Amino acid sequence: MTGGDGDSREVPFSVTVARPDGAQVVMAVAGEIDLTTSEDLKESFEEALEPVPGRLVVDLEDVDFCDSTGLATLVRINDRCTTQGVDLSFLPSPTIRRLALKTGLSTLLPLAGS
């Protein structure tokens, strides 16, 4: 994000996990998903699966950058949810949607609004 005076401010990386009910978990991710933050995302995901929920929503609407490591992490989340029978949905930011379309991952990842 760029302020009116030209300085840019990055959204710090964060992951919050909420359980609005016993059957659903919502992970909200903000900032950049890259080599330095992917491990934190994986750890938060592992915590979100204990106990295994029926549904996982990964809110990526505040993600403003994602590199190949981040995309690989999203694919691993998808694979693990498929293996464990968790209904998964990604709420993509424009950045994530654009990357998924350009890389062909939009056919693999369950993106909301697709």
Side-chain angles (χ1 to χ4, degrees):
M1 176 188 306
T2 303
D5 57 2
D7 60 326
S8 64
R9 288 170 285 212
E10 287 184 13
V11 174
F13 179 79
S14 67
V15 180
T16 57
V17 177
R19 292 182 180 270
D21 61 50
Q24 176 172 290
V25 173
V26 177
M27 285 180 56
V29 184
E32 299 183 353
I33 306 173
D34 57 21
L35 183 62
T36 60
T37 60
S38 286
E39 193 59 39
D40 291 336
L41 179 56
K42 285 188 263 185
E43 289 174 12
S44 295
F45 169 69
E46 293 298 328
E47 291 172 14
L49 288 186
E50 294 298 329
V52 176
R55 177 162 173 72
L56 174 64
V57 176
V58 181
D59 182 348
L60 303 170
E61 293 178 319
D62 290 328
V63 172
D64 52 18
F65 176 82
C66 184
D67 68 6
S68 60
T69 308
L71 288 175
T73 300
L74 298 181
V75 169
R76 274 191 231 105
I77 288 171
N78 181 69
D79 292 348
R80 176 84 182 275
C81 285
T82 299
T83 300
Q84 293 195 310
V86 176
D87 180 24
L88 173 66
S89 179
F90 290 104
L91 303 177
S93 67
T95 298
I96 297 295
R97 185 174 301 282
R98 188 172 47 253
L99 283 170
L101 288 169
K102 284 185 175 185
T103 60
L105 290 176
S106 59
T107 60
L108 174 68
L109 300 177
L111 303 177
S114 293

